[in-house]
Every structure is written in structure tokens, then in C-alpha cells.
Amino acid sequence: CPIYQTEESMGVEITNSNNNTIEGNTIDDNRRGIYLDHSNGTTIKNNTLINNGLLLYYAYHNDVENNTV
């Protein structure tokens, strides 16, 4: 799933939610590619982040694997 936004936006933002899966996305040109805020137990795998990155803020017990940043 390609996700393209402006540089001021988030590609994927999850706040106060647990046990999510973010998988198989291409996220390009965002302020933050993937942003978890107070969200636990999320699986983040097989994503491609271009010109952005990944931020986990007060997020615990998450699995991050096989992503390209």
C-alpha cells in the first residue's frame, strides 16, 4: 500500500491503541513515516520508509522487523 503525503504529515500514526499490525507499506515523504504514541504490542514489519523514519513514543513491547528505512 503506497502512502504519500506532504512533509508536514504522518504516514501512519497510531495513538493510544494496542496490538496493531503495520505491514507491507511503502511510506514516502512524510514528516514521520510511522509514529506510535502510547501504543503497545504493535507489529511493524516489511515496510519501506523513504525520506522519513519511525518514532515510538512511550510505546512498549512492539516488534519491528525487516523494514527498510
Side-chain angles (χ1 to χ4, degrees):
C1 172
I3 300 170
Y4 304 100
Q5 299 290 328
T6 68
E7 63 184 50
E8 295 300 319
S9 66
M10 310 291 182
V12 175
E13 179 178 0
I14 298 178
T15 302
N16 297 318
S17 180
N18 298 320
N19 304 312
N20 305 285
T21 300
I22 303 168
E23 181 177 6
N25 299 287
T26 299
I27 304 170
D28 191 1
D29 284 329
N30 296 279
R31 183 173 168 208
R32 293 186 179 100
I34 297 174
Y35 176 58
L36 299 185
D37 180 1
H38 291 86
S39 298
N40 306 311
T42 297
T43 299
I44 303 170
K45 67 179 183 177
N46 301 325
N47 298 288
T48 301
L49 291 88
I50 302 167
N51 297 323
N52 52 53
L54 171 67
L55 175 62
L56 307 180
Y57 180 75
Y58 288 98
Y60 304 99
H61 307 290
N62 299 292
D63 293 318
V64 179
E65 57 187 78
N66 200 36
N67 296 285
T68 302
V69 180

